[in-house]
Amino acid sequence: MDAQDHSARKEVLPPSPAPGVASALRIRRFDPDRRNRIVDAVLAVIADNGVAGTSFRKIATQADVPLGSMTYHFSGMQELLETGFERFVSQSLARLEDRLKPARDHRDARGIILAIVHEDATADPPRYLALSREFQALVIRDPALRNIANKWVEGSAGILKRYFDPITAEILEILMDGLTLRRGVARMEGEPLAADAVARVIAGFWPLGAGKDTVS
Amino acid sequence: MDAQDHSARKEVLPPSPAPGVASALRIRRFDPDRRNRIVDAVLAVIADNGVAGTSFRKIATQADVPLGSMTYHFSGMQELLETGFERFVSQSLARLEDRLKPARDHRDARGIILAIVHEDATADPPRYLALSREFQALVIRDPALRNIANKWVEGSAGILKRYFDPITAEILEILMDGLTLRRGVARMEGEPLAADAVARVIAGFWPLGAGKDTVS
Amino acid sequence: MDAQDHSARKEVLPPSPAPGVASALRIRRFDPDRRNRIVDAVLAVIADNGVAGTSFRKIATQADVPLGSMTYHFSGMQELLETGFERFVSQSLARLEDRLKPARDHRDARGIILAIVHEDATADPPRYLALSREFQALVIRDPALRNIANKWVEGSAGILKRYFDPITAEILEILMDGLTLRRGVARMEGEPLAADAVARVIAGFWPLGAGKDTVS
Amino acid sequence: MDAQDHSARKEVLPPSPAPGVASALRIRRFDPDRRNRIVDAVLAVIADNGVAGTSFRKIATQADVPLGSMTYHFSGMQELLETGFERFVSQSLARLEDRLKPARDHRDARGIILAIVHEDATADPPRYLALSREFQALVIRDPALRNIANKWVEGSAGILKRYFDPITAEILEILMDGLTLRRGVARMEGEPLAADAVARVIAGFWPLGAGKDTVS
DNA sequence: AATGAATGAGACTTCATTCAT
DNA sequence: AATGAATGAAGTCTCATTCAT
């Protein structure tokens, strides 16, 4: 049946512990910021277990929230993933912006970009790498996530455009992601490769490249 | 090159029992090629549902094989994913090789590369895109898959090295993957971007770029 | 997610108890007739708790079957209800047939009919009454059950037609059900009412009623 | 007659607080008639989903009332069902009375009775049919509802007694219910059957039947 | 060698009800 | 007086895996 038994249930609940006291024991009835914690937990669980290994239970445990809370705050896994994805994008953009803030020119920017790639590729656990691939995998099959993906792409490129021409910025954005994966997974040493790849792309950049005559 | 051999592990199948003999009762009691079909089914199911939506049941249905066969031929989901990943890499490499075969020089190769990106990005359903991201997501968390990932990376680069210097080949390999995702998912028109990105990378290539002096 | 974690689960199962021995302990891996028991359990649980109070758990407990068996043998509650309803109808028809078998003429039949009404109305627990109303309630909202309902109606009338003309049989069938409920639920003494009601309906019956001139 | 009074039990509602006062903040903080709407909603939800598919949530939504209101105005599902059942009975009796009001003699009454059966059997959605069976099912298992059921039965019979002798009235009441279900559910055309059934029962009625000598 | 039947664990979800406000 | 937020229990269902055949 899709309905439960209507007979009385009246369990013997803890008779409301002395108010003001405990609260870390297990009561927390009023808990704003709970949604926040859940969204953070979503990202943590996905990063550790992949979307395939993600469950309401794990998220609830990670967020220190009762299982029943999950579908109270979120309609289902879909909404949870969307909200998590959104936060991941926001955090990623904020970080890129933050890291690039000290850069005065494209030369500085290049150095920082390579540093970011290095950090993300060698981070342990590989949070960015794991989350980015999980969400890329999701967005390919779920058009409802396209908007968030576009915010990601356009946001990143937008930040890079402060230092590079639009095309260069777009290419760099793509390359950063790919280089991070390569360095994070592949056997070979990737540092020089990343530097070279970035250099080549930037070589087509107007202040250096004296025109885009390299295109056939 | 240093990619190890990760082909079949634990080929449990009988060396083809006396053909023509028994068991027309239950159709297909003797069914070599079953393992094959299962591996194909793995890829089909993952492409459609993601690893998160993949189950023995769905694979068995897709392969038209009894559910009990699954754990008979494969020890578990892990082995299934590894074997599937392996086949995906083999197929991807074979395709790249096949497509590039007619290319006489790096100019031909560039055109074909762009065509491949275009095809994979616009394919419906997006099989390459889906499988590549699912497996990238897996390999990040599961070191046991590193060998296969390296075979993929090195295989692709190896093929490209017939037309480009090693560094260019590596970068192109990374860029192809990233451009395919971008064009497959993002809002903007990606065709010119892809062409430009590839051009810039190749610009650092020796026949054109007169040395690699672009690196800082 | 709609898939479960693919990591190993390998629980420590009871290491297969001495075969031939226990079996009532908890093992029963081969158990034909299980479907049968489940269907019987469905009827028992509905009769006791109503459809609203019916759950897989209760049915499984009643049938002494693991909970996981339920959705293995039946696709869901809908199929369970349909199958239960079918059995209820079969049993009801078999009983009517059985009870009426000794009747040599319509006079005998009338007595038996009144006896059946009496039994069903005073049975404790009121199995027929409960099941009939539960299923009537279901069939009203679920057209998929119409066929079974028709089998019930036509089956009952068919049996009664051996003793009465078709119209009389139909009316009697309806009246029996209504009288049983009335006698089972209402405060007043229903015995004479039932006898009178049946008598009046049969009064329109050809051997007695000399034509149907009573219709306006 | 001996039907007891089962009207409101525990009318918790305030005796209408100073109207015109506060709380336009949250719309409808002062909302007498809320209890009414909830009871109507109970019937609507049961008619659509059956008791098995009824929940506080659905009722609250249907009544456009906050979920928290439900257990504030009603102690639980049991009270909700009782109150709903009561209203259903009141409405059914009022309708029967209303429809029969124009009838001058038993001939008129017979026509109206058949019309009511026809209407209820063909109504879409089948509100009367659904509610009557749901409540019959409930009352069989729950003695606390017997009083309401008796009010229903005796009320209906009481109204019919204005046109027919007591026995005829009782039988007609039973038959009406059974005929409505039959016509609403079964495959066969039920119109003539209903007319014939009613005619036969009425044939035993004193103005026509010259005594009740039909009983064996 | 191969598999259909079976099952316990755990998945998501909805529920009635409580409680702080 | 009234309710939004919260939650533990229980709901249905699917899962990977085992085991007798």
Side-chain angles (χ1 to χ4, degrees):
Chain A
M1 284 294 80
D2 52 356
Q4 287 164 259
D5 198 342
H6 297 136
S7 53
R9 218 174 305 161
K10 273 185 215 312
E11 298 303 324
V12 187
L13 278 185
S16 100
V21 181
S23 84
L25 286 181
R26 177 88 295 218
I27 290 299
R28 189 161 46 211
R29 286 292 299 224
F30 181 62
D31 178 19
D33 189 52
R34 170 166 298 194
R35 241 187 98 96
N36 255 338
R37 282 213 316 285
I38 294 178
V39 179
D40 281 340
V42 169
L43 293 183
V45 172
I46 293 179
D48 283 353
N49 309 97
V51 169
T54 295
S55 71
F56 277 43
R57 282 193 213 296
K58 285 180 188 162
I59 297 170
T61 299
Q62 171 83 24
D64 187 25
V65 146
L67 177 58
S69 272
M70 297 301 300
T71 41
Y72 175 77
H73 289 286
F74 297 87
S75 72
M77 186 57 82
Q78 173 70 16
E79 187 184 335
L80 226 28
L81 293 176
E82 282 179 32
T83 316
F85 195 174
E86 247 164 0
R87 174 158 302 179
F88 170 68
V89 167
S90 297
Q91 289 176 347
S92 297
L93 293 181
R95 174 171 172 253
L96 184 61
E97 173 130 37
D98 201 54
R99 290 298 305 274
L100 278 177
K101 197 168 296 168
R104 287 155 310 172
D105 58 13
H106 67 88
R107 233 173 278 261
D108 289 352
R110 185 173 68 178
I112 293 172
I113 285 170
L114 288 173
I116 293 175
V117 168
H118 177 77
E119 284 163 26
D120 285 341
T122 56
D124 184 44
R127 184 183 152 96
Y128 168 80
L129 228 31
L131 289 177
S132 66
R133 258 54 195 179
E134 291 291 341
F135 283 134
Q136 287 172 12
L138 279 184
V139 79
I140 287 165
R141 292 193 319 277
D142 183 358
L145 298 174
R146 291 284 161 91
N147 279 333
I148 308 178
N150 280 314
K151 196 175 141 202
W152 188 12
V153 164
E154 288 160 14
S156 299
I159 295 171
L160 293 172
K161 278 173 191 161
R162 296 174 195 159
Y163 303 92
F164 304 96
D165 72 276
I167 302 292
T168 300
E170 298 276 357
I171 302 176
L172 277 177
E173 196 268 332
I174 294 173
L175 208 53
M176 284 178 71
D177 193 65
L179 285 168
T180 308
L181 177 69
R182 166 65 74 91
R183 292 213 38 207
V185 165
R187 199 168 359 243
M188 52 161 279
E189 287 301 323
E191 189 100 38
L193 177 66
D196 204 351
V198 169
R200 289 192 189 193
V201 165
I202 295 181
F205 173 45
W206 49 267
L208 293 178
K212 306 201 293 177
D213 50 41
T214 52
V215 182
S216 72
Chain B
M1 210 246 293
D2 55 354
Q4 289 155 258
D5 183 10
H6 307 292
S7 53
R9 63 170 66 185
K10 196 203 283 188
E11 280 285 20
V12 202
L13 272 184
S16 90
V21 179
S23 73
L25 287 181
R26 291 290 176 187
I27 49 170
R28 199 180 309 118
R29 286 287 296 219
F30 170 60
D31 179 16
D33 191 50
R34 169 166 298 190
R35 231 185 112 93
N36 253 337
R37 282 213 316 284
I38 293 177
V39 179
D40 281 339
V42 170
L43 294 183
V45 171
I46 293 179
D48 283 351
N49 308 99
V51 169
T54 294
S55 70
F56 276 46
R57 276 172 165 66
K58 284 181 188 162
I59 296 170
T61 300
Q62 172 83 29
D64 189 24
V65 145
L67 177 58
S69 269
M70 298 300 299
T71 41
Y72 178 75
H73 289 288
F74 296 87
S75 72
M77 184 59 79
Q78 174 71 15
E79 187 185 339
L80 227 25
L81 292 177
E82 282 177 31
T83 316
F85 196 175
E86 255 166 357
R87 174 158 302 178
F88 170 68
V89 167
S90 299
Q91 289 176 348
S92 296
L93 293 180
R95 173 169 172 254
L96 183 62
E97 173 130 37
D98 200 54
R99 289 298 304 275
L100 277 176
K101 196 168 297 169
R104 286 153 312 174
D105 57 14
H106 66 88
R107 229 174 281 262
D108 288 352
R110 184 173 69 178
I112 291 171
I113 285 170
L114 288 173
I116 293 176
V117 168
H118 176 79
E119 283 162 27
D120 285 342
T122 56
D124 184 43
R127 182 182 153 97
Y128 168 79
L129 229 29
L131 290 177
S132 65
R133 259 54 196 179
E134 292 292 340
F135 283 134
Q136 287 173 13
L138 280 183
V139 79
I140 288 166
R141 291 193 319 279
D142 182 359
L145 297 174
R146 289 286 162 90
N147 282 332
I148 307 178
N150 281 314
K151 193 175 148 202
W152 188 13
V153 165
E154 289 158 14
S156 299
I159 295 170
L160 292 171
K161 278 173 192 160
R162 296 174 196 160
Y163 302 93
F164 304 97
D165 71 277
I167 302 292
T168 300
E170 298 276 356
I171 304 176
L172 276 178
E173 197 268 331
I174 294 173
L175 208 52
M176 283 179 71
D177 193 64
L179 285 168
T180 307
L181 178 68
R182 165 66 72 93
R183 291 210 42 204
V185 164
R187 204 175 348 249
M188 50 158 282
E189 288 299 324
E191 189 98 40
L193 178 66
D196 206 349
V198 169
R200 288 189 189 194
V201 167
I202 295 180
F205 173 45
W206 48 266
L208 293 178
K212 307 202 290 176
D213 51 39
T214 51
V215 182
S216 70
Chain C
M1 283 296 81
D2 52 357
Q4 285 166 259
D5 198 344
H6 296 137
S7 53
R9 219 174 303 162
K10 275 186 210 310
E11 298 303 323
V12 188
L13 278 184
S16 100
V21 181
S23 84
L25 285 182
R26 179 85 299 214
I27 291 298
R28 189 162 44 213
R29 287 290 300 223
F30 181 60
D31 178 18
D33 189 51
R34 169 165 299 193
R35 238 186 101 97
N36 254 339
R37 282 213 315 286
I38 293 177
V39 179
D40 281 339
V42 170
L43 293 183
V45 171
I46 293 179
D48 283 352
N49 309 98
V51 170
T54 294
S55 72
F56 277 42
R57 279 192 214 299
K58 286 180 186 160
I59 297 170
T61 300
Q62 172 82 28
D64 186 25
V65 145
L67 179 57
S69 272
M70 298 302 300
T71 41
Y72 175 77
H73 288 288
F74 297 87
S75 72
M77 186 58 81
Q78 173 69 17
E79 187 183 334
L80 226 27
L81 292 177
E82 280 178 33
T83 315
F85 195 174
E86 247 164 2
R87 174 159 301 180
F88 171 68
V89 167
S90 298
Q91 290 176 346
S92 296
L93 294 181
R95 173 170 173 253
L96 183 62
E97 174 130 36
D98 200 54
R99 292 298 304 275
L100 277 177
K101 196 169 296 169
R104 286 153 313 173
D105 58 13
H106 66 88
R107 231 173 279 261
D108 290 352
R110 185 174 69 179
I112 292 171
I113 284 169
L114 288 173
I116 293 175
V117 168
H118 176 78
E119 285 162 24
D120 285 342
T122 56
D124 184 44
R127 183 183 152 97
Y128 169 80
L129 227 31
L131 289 177
S132 66
R133 258 55 195 178
E134 292 291 341
F135 283 134
Q136 286 172 14
L138 279 185
V139 78
I140 287 165
R141 290 194 320 277
D142 183 359
L145 298 174
R146 290 284 162 90
N147 280 333
I148 308 178
N150 280 315
K151 195 175 144 203
W152 188 12
V153 164
E154 288 159 14
S156 299
I159 295 171
L160 292 171
K161 277 173 192 159
R162 297 173 195 161
Y163 303 92
F164 304 96
D165 72 277
I167 301 291
T168 300
E170 298 275 358
I171 302 176
L172 277 177
E173 195 269 332
I174 294 172
L175 208 53
M176 285 178 70
D177 192 66
L179 285 167
T180 308
L181 177 69
R182 166 65 72 93
R183 292 211 42 205
V185 165
R187 203 170 355 248
M188 51 160 282
E189 287 299 323
E191 189 98 38
L193 177 65
D196 206 349
V198 169
R200 287 191 190 195
V201 166
I202 296 180
F205 174 45
W206 48 268
L208 293 178
K212 307 201 291 175
D213 50 43
T214 52
V215 182
S216 71
Chain D
M1 208 246 294
D2 55 357
Q4 289 157 257
D5 182 10
H6 309 293
S7 50
R9 63 170 65 186
K10 197 202 287 191
E11 279 286 20
V12 202
L13 271 186
S16 87
V21 180
S23 73
L25 289 180
R26 291 292 175 186
I27 50 170
R28 198 178 315 113
R29 286 286 297 217
F30 170 60
D31 180 16
D33 192 49
R34 168 167 298 190
R35 230 186 110 93
N36 253 336
R37 282 213 316 284
I38 293 177
V39 179
D40 282 339
V42 170
L43 294 183
V45 171
I46 294 179
D48 283 351
N49 308 100
V51 170
T54 294
S55 71
F56 276 44
R57 276 173 166 65
K58 283 180 188 162
I59 297 169
T61 299
Q62 171 83 28
D64 188 24
V65 145
L67 177 58
S69 269
M70 298 300 299
T71 41
Y72 178 75
H73 289 289
F74 296 86
S75 71
M77 185 59 80
Q78 174 70 16
E79 187 186 337
L80 228 25
L81 292 176
E82 282 179 30
T83 315
F85 195 175
E86 254 165 358
R87 174 158 301 178
F88 171 68
V89 167
S90 298
Q91 289 176 347
S92 296
L93 293 181
R95 173 169 173 254
L96 182 62
E97 173 130 37
D98 200 55
R99 291 297 305 276
L100 277 177
K101 197 169 295 169
R104 287 152 311 172
D105 57 13
H106 68 87
R107 230 173 279 261
D108 289 353
R110 184 173 70 179
I112 291 171
I113 285 169
L114 289 173
I116 292 175
V117 168
H118 176 78
E119 284 163 24
D120 285 341
T122 57
D124 184 47
R127 183 182 153 96
Y128 168 80
L129 229 29
L131 289 177
S132 66
R133 257 55 195 179
E134 292 291 341
F135 283 134
Q136 287 173 12
L138 279 183
V139 80
I140 287 166
R141 291 192 321 275
D142 182 358
L145 297 174
R146 288 286 161 90
N147 282 331
I148 307 177
N150 280 315
K151 193 176 146 200
W152 187 14
V153 164
E154 288 158 14
S156 298
I159 294 170
L160 292 170
K161 278 172 192 161
R162 296 173 195 163
Y163 303 92
F164 303 97
D165 72 276
I167 302 293
T168 301
E170 298 276 357
I171 303 176
L172 277 177
E173 197 269 333
I174 294 171
L175 209 52
M176 283 179 70
D177 193 64
L179 285 168
T180 307
L181 178 68
R182 166 65 72 93
R183 291 210 42 206
V185 165
R187 200 168 0 239
M188 50 160 283
E189 288 299 323
E191 189 98 40
L193 177 66
D196 205 350
V198 169
R200 288 189 189 194
V201 167
I202 296 181
F205 172 46
W206 48 267
L208 294 177
K212 307 202 291 176
D213 51 39
T214 52
V215 181
S216 71

